[in-house]
PDB file of all heavy atoms in Angstrom:
ATOM      1  N   SER A   1     120.001 109.955 167.067  1.00 90.00           N
ATOM      2  CA  SER A   1     119.921 109.077 168.284  1.00 90.00           C
ATOM      3  C   SER A   1     120.768 109.637 169.401  1.00 90.00           C
ATOM      4  O   SER A   1     120.668 109.178 170.540  1.00 90.00           O
ATOM      5  CB  SER A   1     120.462 107.684 167.899  1.00 90.00           C
ATOM      6  OG  SER A   1     121.824 107.689 167.502  1.00 90.00           O
ATOM      7  N   GLN A   2     121.688 110.552 169.106  1.00 90.00           N
ATOM      8  CA  GLN A   2     122.540 111.131 170.114  1.00 90.00           C
ATOM      9  C   GLN A   2     122.176 112.583 170.509  1.00 90.00           C
ATOM     10  O   GLN A   2     122.439 113.006 171.627  1.00 90.00           O
ATOM     11  CB  GLN A   2     124.041 111.096 169.631  1.00 90.00           C
ATOM     12  CG  GLN A   2     124.568 109.707 169.424  1.00 90.00           C
ATOM     13  CD  GLN A   2     126.069 109.726 169.186  1.00 90.00           C
ATOM     14  OE1 GLN A   2     126.854 110.213 169.939  1.00 90.00           O
ATOM     15  NE2 GLN A   2     126.432 109.151 167.984  1.00 90.00           N
ATOM     16  N   ILE A   3     121.656 113.332 169.522  1.00 92.00           N
ATOM     17  CA  ILE A   3     121.340 114.757 169.804  1.00 92.00           C
ATOM     18  C   ILE A   3     120.172 115.168 168.874  1.00 92.00           C
ATOM     19  O   ILE A   3     120.085 114.662 167.746  1.00 92.00           O
ATOM     20  CB  ILE A   3     122.575 115.627 169.515  1.00 92.00           C
ATOM     21  CG1 ILE A   3     122.288 117.079 170.048  1.00 92.00           C
ATOM     22  CG2 ILE A   3     123.002 115.640 168.098  1.00 92.00           C
ATOM     23  CD1 ILE A   3     123.577 117.923 170.075  1.00 92.00           C
ATOM     24  N   SER A   4     119.280 115.962 169.430  1.00 91.00           N
ATOM     25  CA  SER A   4     118.130 116.402 168.641  1.00 91.00           C
ATOM     26  C   SER A   4     118.374 117.821 168.137  1.00 91.00           C
ATOM     27  O   SER A   4     119.272 118.531 168.615  1.00 91.00           O
ATOM     28  CB  SER A   4     116.869 116.393 169.522  1.00 91.00           C
ATOM     29  OG  SER A   4     116.950 117.406 170.515  1.00 91.00           O
ATOM     30  N   ILE A   5     117.512 118.202 167.202  1.00 90.00           N
ATOM     31  CA  ILE A   5     117.657 119.559 166.646  1.00 90.00           C
ATOM     32  C   ILE A   5     117.343 120.629 167.696  1.00 90.00           C
ATOM     33  O   ILE A   5     117.916 121.752 167.761  1.00 90.00           O
ATOM     34  CB  ILE A   5     116.787 119.765 165.400  1.00 90.00           C
ATOM     35  CG1 ILE A   5     117.121 121.063 164.676  1.00 90.00           C
ATOM     36  CG2 ILE A   5     115.307 119.683 165.755  1.00 90.00           C
ATOM     37  CD1 ILE A   5     118.539 121.115 164.112  1.00 90.00           C
ATOM     38  N   ASP A   6     116.392 120.242 168.634  1.00 90.00           N
ATOM     39  CA  ASP A   6     116.116 121.195 169.752  1.00 90.00           C
ATOM     40  C   ASP A   6     117.316 121.396 170.635  1.00 90.00           C
ATOM     41  O   ASP A   6     117.631 122.502 171.163  1.00 90.00           O
ATOM     42  CB  ASP A   6     114.923 120.658 170.568  1.00 90.00           C
ATOM     43  CG  ASP A   6     113.619 120.784 169.800  1.00 90.00           C
ATOM     44  OD1 ASP A   6     113.493 121.682 168.883  1.00 90.00           O
ATOM     45  OD2 ASP A   6     112.665 120.011 170.067  1.00 90.00           O
ATOM     46  N   ASP A   7     118.091 120.265 170.880  1.00 91.00           N
ATOM     47  CA  ASP A   7     119.312 120.380 171.663  1.00 91.00           C
ATOM     48  C   ASP A   7     120.295 121.291 171.012  1.00 91.00           C
ATOM     49  O   ASP A   7     121.008 122.094 171.648  1.00 91.00           O
ATOM     50  CB  ASP A   7     119.931 118.991 171.907  1.00 91.00           C
ATOM     51  CG  ASP A   7     119.063 118.107 172.746  1.00 91.00           C
ATOM     52  OD1 ASP A   7     118.332 118.608 173.593  1.00 91.00           O
ATOM     53  OD2 ASP A   7     119.154 116.842 172.568  1.00 91.00           O
ATOM     54  N   ILE A   8     120.412 121.147 169.684  1.00 92.00           N
ATOM     55  CA  ILE A   8     121.289 122.010 168.902  1.00 92.00           C
ATOM     56  C   ILE A   8     120.938 123.500 169.002  1.00 92.00           C
ATOM     57  O   ILE A   8     121.789 124.337 169.230  1.00 92.00           O
ATOM     58  CB  ILE A   8     121.315 121.561 167.434  1.00 92.00           C
ATOM     59  CG1 ILE A   8     121.961 120.184 167.323  1.00 92.00           C
ATOM     60  CG2 ILE A   8     122.093 122.611 166.540  1.00 92.00           C
ATOM     61  CD1 ILE A   8     121.796 119.525 165.969  1.00 92.00           C
ATOM     62  N   PHE A   9     119.613 123.759 168.898  1.00 91.00           N
ATOM     63  CA  PHE A   9     119.158 125.155 169.046  1.00 91.00           C
ATOM     64  C   PHE A   9     119.509 125.651 170.443  1.00 91.00           C
ATOM     65  O   PHE A   9     119.897 126.798 170.621  1.00 91.00           O
ATOM     66  CB  PHE A   9     117.651 125.185 168.908  1.00 91.00           C
ATOM     67  CG  PHE A   9     117.187 125.057 167.472  1.00 91.00           C
ATOM     68  CD1 PHE A   9     115.825 125.044 167.105  1.00 91.00           C
ATOM     69  CD2 PHE A   9     118.129 124.924 166.414  1.00 91.00           C
ATOM     70  CE1 PHE A   9     115.426 124.925 165.785  1.00 91.00           C
ATOM     71  CE2 PHE A   9     117.668 124.759 165.110  1.00 91.00           C
ATOM     72  CZ  PHE A   9     116.359 124.782 164.779  1.00 91.00           C
ATOM     73  N   GLU A  10     119.378 124.820 171.455  1.00 90.00           N
ATOM     74  CA  GLU A  10     119.655 125.220 172.831  1.00 90.00           C
ATOM     75  C   GLU A  10     121.105 125.548 173.063  1.00 90.00           C
ATOM     76  O   GLU A  10     121.491 126.473 173.690  1.00 90.00           O
ATOM     77  CB  GLU A  10     119.231 124.078 173.828  1.00 90.00           C
ATOM     78  CG  GLU A  10     119.343 124.449 175.272  1.00 90.00           C
ATOM     79  CD  GLU A  10     118.914 123.267 176.168  1.00 90.00           C
ATOM     80  OE1 GLU A  10     118.080 122.465 175.715  1.00 90.00           O
ATOM     81  OE2 GLU A  10     119.476 123.187 177.285  1.00 90.00           O
ATOM     82  N   ARG A  11     122.025 124.748 172.421  1.00 90.00           N
ATOM     83  CA  ARG A  11     123.416 125.039 172.495  1.00 90.00           C
ATOM     84  C   ARG A  11     123.795 126.378 171.873  1.00 90.00           C
ATOM     85  O   ARG A  11     124.613 127.133 172.376  1.00 90.00           O
ATOM     86  CB  ARG A  11     124.254 123.903 171.753  1.00 90.00           C
ATOM     87  CG  ARG A  11     124.062 122.501 172.274  1.00 90.00           C
ATOM     88  CD  ARG A  11     124.542 122.266 173.695  1.00 90.00           C
ATOM     89  NE  ARG A  11     124.488 120.871 173.992  1.00 90.00           N
ATOM     90  CZ  ARG A  11     123.465 120.119 174.339  1.00 90.00           C
ATOM     91  NH1 ARG A  11     122.225 120.694 174.354  1.00 90.00           N
ATOM     92  NH2 ARG A  11     123.549 118.848 174.623  1.00 90.00           N
ATOM     93  N   VAL A  12     123.171 126.627 170.748  1.00 90.00           N
ATOM     94  CA  VAL A  12     123.391 127.902 170.050  1.00 90.00           C
ATOM     95  C   VAL A  12     122.930 129.110 170.908  1.00 90.00           C
ATOM     96  O   VAL A  12     123.626 130.122 171.017  1.00 90.00           O
ATOM     97  CB  VAL A  12     122.699 127.945 168.666  1.00 90.00           C
ATOM     98  CG1 VAL A  12     122.808 129.333 168.036  1.00 90.00           C
ATOM     99  CG2 VAL A  12     123.352 126.865 167.716  1.00 90.00           C
ATOM    100  N   GLU A  13     121.768 128.937 171.545  1.00 89.00           N
ATOM    101  CA  GLU A  13     121.227 130.006 172.349  1.00 89.00           C
ATOM    102  C   GLU A  13     121.993 130.213 173.612  1.00 89.00           C
ATOM    103  O   GLU A  13     122.100 131.317 174.156  1.00 89.00           O
ATOM    104  CB  GLU A  13     119.729 129.718 172.672  1.00 89.00           C
ATOM    105  CG  GLU A  13     118.880 129.893 171.378  1.00 89.00           C
ATOM    106  CD  GLU A  13     117.479 129.345 171.532  1.00 89.00           C
ATOM    107  OE1 GLU A  13     117.124 128.843 172.635  1.00 89.00           O
ATOM    108  OE2 GLU A  13     116.737 129.389 170.524  1.00 89.00           O
ATOM    109  N   LYS A  14     122.633 129.175 174.133  1.00 87.00           N
ATOM    110  CA  LYS A  14     123.497 129.309 175.324  1.00 87.00           C
ATOM    111  C   LYS A  14     124.659 130.181 175.122  1.00 87.00           C
ATOM    112  O   LYS A  14     125.178 130.777 176.121  1.00 87.00           O
ATOM    113  CB  LYS A  14     123.936 127.906 175.796  1.00 87.00           C
ATOM    114  CG  LYS A  14     122.906 127.198 176.695  1.00 87.00           C
ATOM    115  CD  LYS A  14     123.540 125.918 177.286  1.00 87.00           C
ATOM    116  CE  LYS A  14     122.532 125.239 178.265  1.00 87.00           C
ATOM    117  NZ  LYS A  14     123.081 123.946 178.746  1.00 87.00           N
ATOM    118  N   ILE A  15     125.152 130.323 173.910  1.00 86.00           N
ATOM    119  CA  ILE A  15     126.292 131.130 173.679  1.00 86.00           C
ATOM    120  C   ILE A  15     125.899 132.506 173.109  1.00 86.00           C
ATOM    121  O   ILE A  15     126.731 133.238 172.546  1.00 86.00           O
ATOM    122  CB  ILE A  15     127.333 130.462 172.714  1.00 86.00           C
ATOM    123  CG1 ILE A  15     126.685 130.073 171.389  1.00 86.00           C
ATOM    124  CG2 ILE A  15     127.917 129.252 173.399  1.00 86.00           C
ATOM    125  CD1 ILE A  15     127.685 129.493 170.359  1.00 86.00           C
ATOM    126  N   GLY A  16     124.629 132.821 173.220  1.00 83.00           N
ATOM    127  CA  GLY A  16     124.160 134.196 172.920  1.00 83.00           C
ATOM    128  C   GLY A  16     123.550 134.428 171.579  1.00 83.00           C
ATOM    129  O   GLY A  16     123.342 135.631 171.218  1.00 83.00           O
ATOM    130  N   PHE A  17     123.178 133.420 170.851  1.00 87.00           N
ATOM    131  CA  PHE A  17     122.518 133.695 169.538  1.00 87.00           C
ATOM    132  C   PHE A  17     121.149 133.016 169.554  1.00 87.00           C
ATOM    133  O   PHE A  17     120.831 132.222 170.433  1.00 87.00           O
ATOM    134  CB  PHE A  17     123.381 133.026 168.398  1.00 87.00           C
ATOM    135  CG  PHE A  17     124.766 133.590 168.364  1.00 87.00           C
ATOM    136  CD1 PHE A  17     125.811 132.849 169.039  1.00 87.00           C
ATOM    137  CD2 PHE A  17     125.099 134.800 167.841  1.00 87.00           C
ATOM    138  CE1 PHE A  17     127.130 133.344 169.043  1.00 87.00           C
ATOM    139  CE2 PHE A  17     126.376 135.266 167.846  1.00 87.00           C
ATOM    140  CZ  PHE A  17     127.410 134.585 168.447  1.00 87.00           C
ATOM    141  N   GLN A  18     120.333 133.373 168.606  1.00 87.00           N
ATOM    142  CA  GLN A  18     118.999 132.822 168.450  1.00 87.00           C
ATOM    143  C   GLN A  18     118.944 131.854 167.287  1.00 87.00           C
ATOM    144  O   GLN A  18     119.367 132.233 166.157  1.00 87.00           O
ATOM    145  CB  GLN A  18     117.930 133.922 168.266  1.00 87.00           C
ATOM    146  CG  GLN A  18     117.784 134.833 169.505  1.00 87.00           C
ATOM    147  CD  GLN A  18     118.913 135.888 169.475  1.00 87.00           C
ATOM    148  OE1 GLN A  18     119.127 136.524 168.539  1.00 87.00           O
ATOM    149  NE2 GLN A  18     119.548 136.056 170.667  1.00 87.00           N
ATOM    150  N   ALA A  19     118.511 130.617 167.520  1.00 89.00           N
ATOM    151  CA  ALA A  19     118.399 129.597 166.487  1.00 89.00           C
ATOM    152  C   ALA A  19     116.900 129.258 166.342  1.00 89.00           C
ATOM    153  O   ALA A  19     116.257 128.999 167.342  1.00 89.00           O
ATOM    154  CB  ALA A  19     119.252 128.393 166.811  1.00 89.00           C
ATOM    155  N   HIS A  20     116.403 129.151 165.087  1.00 84.00           N
ATOM    156  CA  HIS A  20     115.078 128.787 164.904  1.00 84.00           C
ATOM    157  C   HIS A  20     114.910 128.129 163.499  1.00 84.00           C
ATOM    158  O   HIS A  20     115.813 128.369 162.614  1.00 84.00           O
ATOM    159  CB  HIS A  20     114.156 129.995 165.079  1.00 84.00           C
ATOM    160  CG  HIS A  20     114.607 131.208 164.445  1.00 84.00           C
ATOM    161  ND1 HIS A  20     114.412 131.539 163.176  1.00 84.00           N
ATOM    162  CD2 HIS A  20     115.375 132.240 165.007  1.00 84.00           C
ATOM    163  CE1 HIS A  20     114.988 132.722 162.855  1.00 84.00           C
ATOM    164  NE2 HIS A  20     115.602 133.174 163.997  1.00 84.00           N
ATOM    165  N   PRO A  21     113.862 127.442 163.228  1.00 86.00           N
ATOM    166  CA  PRO A  21     113.664 126.802 161.935  1.00 86.00           C
ATOM    167  C   PRO A  21     113.731 127.800 160.789  1.00 86.00           C
ATOM    168  O   PRO A  21     113.496 128.976 160.936  1.00 86.00           O
ATOM    169  CB  PRO A  21     112.323 126.157 161.998  1.00 86.00           C
ATOM    170  CG  PRO A  21     112.086 125.978 163.465  1.00 86.00           C
ATOM    171  CD  PRO A  21     112.720 127.189 164.132  1.00 86.00           C
ATOM    172  N   VAL A  22     114.037 127.316 159.595  1.00 75.00           N
ATOM    173  CA  VAL A  22     114.145 128.160 158.416  1.00 75.00           C
ATOM    174  C   VAL A  22     112.788 128.766 158.113  1.00 75.00           C
ATOM    175  O   VAL A  22     111.756 128.125 158.207  1.00 75.00           O
ATOM    176  CB  VAL A  22     114.642 127.308 157.185  1.00 75.00           C
ATOM    177  CG1 VAL A  22     114.558 128.150 155.894  1.00 75.00           C
ATOM    178  CG2 VAL A  22     116.029 126.796 157.430  1.00 75.00           C
ATOM    179  N   GLU A  23     112.800 130.043 157.790  1.00 67.00           N
ATOM    180  CA  GLU A  23     111.572 130.784 157.560  1.00 67.00           C
ATOM    181  C   GLU A  23     111.192 130.616 156.047  1.00 67.00           C
ATOM    182  O   GLU A  23     111.980 130.221 155.255  1.00 67.00           O
ATOM    183  CB  GLU A  23     111.810 132.294 157.844  1.00 67.00           C
ATOM    184  CG  GLU A  23     112.344 132.524 159.198  1.00 67.00           C
ATOM    185  CD  GLU A  23     113.027 133.886 159.289  1.00 67.00           C
ATOM    186  OE1 GLU A  23     113.787 134.178 158.352  1.00 67.00           O
ATOM    187  OE2 GLU A  23     112.826 134.621 160.297  1.00 67.00           O
ATOM    188  N   THR A  24     109.938 131.036 155.791  1.00 65.00           N
ATOM    189  CA  THR A  24     109.570 131.161 154.340  1.00 65.00           C
ATOM    190  C   THR A  24     110.221 132.419 153.807  1.00 65.00           C
ATOM    191  O   THR A  24     110.710 133.280 154.584  1.00 65.00           O
ATOM    192  CB  THR A  24     108.018 131.309 154.232  1.00 65.00           C
ATOM    193  OG1 THR A  24     107.649 132.528 154.827  1.00 65.00           O
ATOM    194  CG2 THR A  24     107.308 130.132 154.896  1.00 65.00           C
ATOM    195  N   GLN A  25     110.259 132.474 152.497  1.00 61.00           N
ATOM    196  CA  GLN A  25     110.869 133.706 151.847  1.00 61.00           C
ATOM    197  C   GLN A  25     110.138 134.988 152.293  1.00 61.00           C
ATOM    198  O   GLN A  25     110.801 135.987 152.553  1.00 61.00           O
ATOM    199  CB  GLN A  25     110.810 133.570 150.334  1.00 61.00           C
ATOM    200  CG  GLN A  25     111.721 132.533 149.761  1.00 61.00           C
ATOM    201  CD  GLN A  25     113.191 132.886 149.938  1.00 61.00           C
ATOM    202  OE1 GLN A  25     113.558 134.063 149.916  1.00 61.00           O
ATOM    203  NE2 GLN A  25     114.034 131.905 150.069  1.00 61.00           N
ATOM    204  N   GLN A  26     108.838 134.918 152.443  1.00 66.00           N
ATOM    205  CA  GLN A  26     108.055 136.104 152.911  1.00 66.00           C
ATOM    206  C   GLN A  26     108.469 136.420 154.295  1.00 66.00           C
ATOM    207  O   GLN A  26     108.647 137.633 154.639  1.00 66.00           O
ATOM    208  CB  GLN A  26     106.590 135.784 152.778  1.00 66.00           C
ATOM    209  CG  GLN A  26     105.668 136.933 153.156  1.00 66.00           C
ATOM    210  CD  GLN A  26     105.828 138.149 152.257  1.00 66.00           C
ATOM    211  OE1 GLN A  26     106.223 138.031 151.107  1.00 66.00           O
ATOM    212  NE2 GLN A  26     105.578 139.344 152.843  1.00 66.00           N
ATOM    213  N   GLN A  27     108.570 135.421 155.200  1.00 70.00           N
ATOM    214  CA  GLN A  27     108.927 135.725 156.588  1.00 70.00           C
ATOM    215  C   GLN A  27     110.356 136.359 156.663  1.00 70.00           C
ATOM    216  O   GLN A  27     110.604 137.263 157.429  1.00 70.00           O
ATOM    217  CB  GLN A  27     108.880 134.424 157.362  1.00 70.00           C
ATOM    218  CG  GLN A  27     107.482 133.897 157.683  1.00 70.00           C
ATOM    219  CD  GLN A  27     107.498 132.569 158.304  1.00 70.00           C
ATOM    220  OE1 GLN A  27     108.335 131.715 158.058  1.00 70.00           O
ATOM    221  NE2 GLN A  27     106.481 132.259 159.155  1.00 70.00           N
ATOM    222  N   THR A  28     111.285 135.824 155.836  1.00 69.00           N
ATOM    223  CA  THR A  28     112.644 136.305 155.794  1.00 69.00           C
ATOM    224  C   THR A  28     112.657 137.779 155.392  1.00 69.00           C
ATOM    225  O   THR A  28     113.346 138.611 156.001  1.00 69.00           O
ATOM    226  CB  THR A  28     113.519 135.498 154.867  1.00 69.00           C
ATOM    227  OG1 THR A  28     113.533 134.117 155.315  1.00 69.00           O
ATOM    228  CG2 THR A  28     114.927 135.955 154.829  1.00 69.00           C
ATOM    229  N   ARG A  29     111.934 138.096 154.316  1.00 70.00           N
ATOM    230  CA  ARG A  29     111.837 139.485 153.845  1.00 70.00           C
ATOM    231  C   ARG A  29     111.324 140.409 154.930  1.00 70.00           C
ATOM    232  O   ARG A  29     111.851 141.463 155.179  1.00 70.00           O
ATOM    233  CB  ARG A  29     110.978 139.561 152.590  1.00 70.00           C
ATOM    234  CG  ARG A  29     111.755 139.193 151.343  1.00 70.00           C
ATOM    235  CD  ARG A  29     110.958 139.676 150.106  1.00 70.00           C
ATOM    236  NE  ARG A  29     109.707 139.011 149.975  1.00 70.00           N
ATOM    237  CZ  ARG A  29     109.540 137.825 149.331  1.00 70.00           C
ATOM    238  NH1 ARG A  29     110.635 137.249 148.783  1.00 70.00           N
ATOM    239  NH2 ARG A  29     108.364 137.278 149.245  1.00 70.00           N
ATOM    240  N   GLU A  30     110.219 139.998 155.569  1.00 76.00           N
ATOM    241  CA  GLU A  30     109.596 140.805 156.635  1.00 76.00           C
ATOM    242  C   GLU A  30     110.513 141.055 157.816  1.00 76.00           C
ATOM    243  O   GLU A  30     110.642 142.164 158.384  1.00 76.00           O
ATOM    244  CB  GLU A  30     108.293 140.178 157.086  1.00 76.00           C
ATOM    245  CG  GLU A  30     107.145 140.240 156.013  1.00 76.00           C
ATOM    246  CD  GLU A  30     105.966 139.468 156.387  1.00 76.00           C
ATOM    247  OE1 GLU A  30     105.996 138.804 157.485  1.00 76.00           O
ATOM    248  OE2 GLU A  30     104.931 139.544 155.624  1.00 76.00           O
ATOM    249  N   ARG A  31     111.241 139.934 158.203  1.00 75.00           N
ATOM    250  CA  ARG A  31     112.184 140.022 159.333  1.00 75.00           C
ATOM    251  C   ARG A  31     113.296 140.971 158.980  1.00 75.00           C
ATOM    252  O   ARG A  31     113.706 141.842 159.793  1.00 75.00           O
ATOM    253  CB  ARG A  31     112.711 138.662 159.719  1.00 75.00           C
ATOM    254  CG  ARG A  31     113.708 138.711 160.828  1.00 75.00           C
ATOM    255  CD  ARG A  31     114.193 137.316 161.180  1.00 75.00           C
ATOM    256  NE  ARG A  31     114.758 136.612 160.078  1.00 75.00           N
ATOM    257  CZ  ARG A  31     116.018 136.845 159.606  1.00 75.00           C
ATOM    258  NH1 ARG A  31     116.834 137.763 160.200  1.00 75.00           N
ATOM    259  NH2 ARG A  31     116.488 136.157 158.558  1.00 75.00           N
ATOM    260  N   LYS A  32     113.886 140.834 157.807  1.00 76.00           N
ATOM    261  CA  LYS A  32     114.952 141.681 157.376  1.00 76.00           C
ATOM    262  C   LYS A  32     114.578 143.125 157.304  1.00 76.00           C
ATOM    263  O   LYS A  32     115.340 144.062 157.661  1.00 76.00           O
ATOM    264  CB  LYS A  32     115.519 141.224 156.081  1.00 76.00           C
ATOM    265  CG  LYS A  32     116.376 139.924 156.179  1.00 76.00           C
ATOM    266  CD  LYS A  32     117.023 139.571 154.867  1.00 76.00           C
ATOM    267  CE  LYS A  32     117.911 138.359 155.086  1.00 76.00           C
ATOM    268  NZ  LYS A  32     118.601 137.994 153.764  1.00 76.00           N
ATOM    269  N   GLN A  33     113.350 143.392 156.868  1.00 81.00           N
ATOM    270  CA  GLN A  33     112.820 144.749 156.796  1.00 81.00           C
ATOM    271  C   GLN A  33     112.718 145.341 158.180  1.00 81.00           C
ATOM    272  O   GLN A  33     113.039 146.539 158.395  1.00 81.00           O
ATOM    273  CB  GLN A  33     111.513 144.778 156.057  1.00 81.00           C
ATOM    274  CG  GLN A  33     111.659 144.615 154.565  1.00 81.00           C
ATOM    275  CD  GLN A  33     110.309 144.408 153.879  1.00 81.00           C
ATOM    276  OE1 GLN A  33     109.280 144.402 154.510  1.00 81.00           O
ATOM    277  NE2 GLN A  33     110.340 144.268 152.596  1.00 81.00           N
ATOM    278  N   ARG A  34     112.245 144.520 159.168  1.00 86.00           N
ATOM    279  CA  ARG A  34     112.081 145.001 160.536  1.00 86.00           C
ATOM    280  C   ARG A  34     113.462 145.311 161.105  1.00 86.00           C
ATOM    281  O   ARG A  34     113.669 146.314 161.833  1.00 86.00           O
ATOM    282  CB  ARG A  34     111.391 143.919 161.350  1.00 86.00           C
ATOM    283  CG  ARG A  34     109.904 143.782 161.141  1.00 86.00           C
ATOM    284  CD  ARG A  34     109.189 143.020 162.253  1.00 86.00           C
ATOM    285  NE  ARG A  34     109.810 141.704 162.470  1.00 86.00           N
ATOM    286  CZ  ARG A  34     109.434 140.585 161.807  1.00 86.00           C
ATOM    287  NH1 ARG A  34     108.435 140.670 160.929  1.00 86.00           N
ATOM    288  NH2 ARG A  34     109.971 139.443 162.089  1.00 86.00           N
ATOM    289  N   GLU A  35     114.408 144.390 160.935  1.00 82.00           N
ATOM    290  CA  GLU A  35     115.768 144.580 161.474  1.00 82.00           C
ATOM    291  C   GLU A  35     116.427 145.820 160.826  1.00 82.00           C
ATOM    292  O   GLU A  35     117.102 146.525 161.536  1.00 82.00           O
ATOM    293  CB  GLU A  35     116.641 143.357 161.163  1.00 82.00           C
ATOM    294  CG  GLU A  35     116.167 142.130 162.025  1.00 82.00           C
ATOM    295  CD  GLU A  35     116.983 140.882 161.665  1.00 82.00           C
ATOM    296  OE1 GLU A  35     117.772 140.928 160.715  1.00 82.00           O
ATOM    297  OE2 GLU A  35     116.784 139.863 162.336  1.00 82.00           O
ATOM    298  N   LEU A  36     116.234 145.962 159.576  1.00 84.00           N
ATOM    299  CA  LEU A  36     116.838 147.159 158.868  1.00 84.00           C
ATOM    300  C   LEU A  36     116.231 148.469 159.423  1.00 84.00           C
ATOM    301  O   LEU A  36     116.943 149.422 159.673  1.00 84.00           O
ATOM    302  CB  LEU A  36     116.606 147.044 157.373  1.00 84.00           C
ATOM    303  CG  LEU A  36     117.337 148.081 156.514  1.00 84.00           C
ATOM    304  CD1 LEU A  36     118.849 147.942 156.663  1.00 84.00           C
ATOM    305  CD2 LEU A  36     116.914 147.968 155.081  1.00 84.00           C
ATOM    306  N   LYS A  37     114.964 148.462 159.631  1.00 90.00           N
ATOM    307  CA  LYS A  37     114.233 149.636 160.154  1.00 90.00           C
ATOM    308  C   LYS A  37     114.708 149.925 161.598  1.00 90.00           C
ATOM    309  O   LYS A  37     114.945 151.074 161.941  1.00 90.00           O
ATOM    310  CB  LYS A  37     112.713 149.400 160.127  1.00 90.00           C
ATOM    311  CG  LYS A  37     111.929 150.636 160.368  1.00 90.00           C
ATOM    312  CD  LYS A  37     110.430 150.355 160.223  1.00 90.00           C
ATOM    313  CE  LYS A  37     110.021 150.064 158.800  1.00 90.00           C
ATOM    314  NZ  LYS A  37     108.578 149.948 158.646  1.00 90.00           N
ATOM    315  N   LEU A  38     114.843 148.849 162.421  1.00 90.00           N
ATOM    316  CA  LEU A  38     115.339 149.050 163.784  1.00 90.00           C
ATOM    317  C   LEU A  38     116.735 149.622 163.812  1.00 90.00           C
ATOM    318  O   LEU A  38     117.090 150.564 164.592  1.00 90.00           O
ATOM    319  CB  LEU A  38     115.300 147.713 164.508  1.00 90.00           C
ATOM    320  CG  LEU A  38     115.843 147.743 165.927  1.00 90.00           C
ATOM    321  CD1 LEU A  38     115.009 148.646 166.853  1.00 90.00           C
ATOM    322  CD2 LEU A  38     115.851 146.304 166.550  1.00 90.00           C
ATOM    323  N   GLN A  39     117.638 149.108 162.913  1.00 87.00           N
ATOM    324  CA  GLN A  39     119.043 149.583 162.839  1.00 87.00           C
ATOM    325  C   GLN A  39     119.007 151.063 162.381  1.00 87.00           C
ATOM    326  O   GLN A  39     119.846 151.836 162.905  1.00 87.00           O
ATOM    327  CB  GLN A  39     119.768 148.732 161.859  1.00 87.00           C
ATOM    328  CG  GLN A  39     121.271 148.757 162.007  1.00 87.00           C
ATOM    329  CD  GLN A  39     121.783 148.179 163.304  1.00 87.00           C
ATOM    330  OE1 GLN A  39     121.331 147.131 163.668  1.00 87.00           O
ATOM    331  NE2 GLN A  39     122.686 148.869 163.958  1.00 87.00           N
TER     332      GLN A  39
END
């Protein structure tokens, strides 16, 4: 009633991070593989 999850995501993004809903296990694996490859 005082703050929404979208507002929370916005606050996190304002300080320089990316916030988004929890991924599936498959999405997490694929994202981590992409990030590892980029690094």
Side-chain angles (χ1 to χ4, degrees):
S1 65
Q2 296 187 58
I3 190 169
S4 69
I5 192 64
D6 289 334
D7 293 332
I8 292 170
F9 287 178
E10 187 180 329
R11 303 295 190 280
V12 173
E13 287 167 5
K14 273 187 178 178
I15 58 174
F17 304 97
Q18 295 79 51
H20 43 86
V22 174
E23 307 157 316
T24 65
Q25 289 293 330
Q26 181 64 27
Q27 288 172 328
T28 299
R29 278 196 295 272
E30 290 173 355
R31 178 179 57 79
K32 285 185 175 180
Q33 287 171 357
R34 287 196 303 270
E35 289 176 355
L36 187 63
K37 193 177 289 185
L38 176 62
Q39 200 66 44

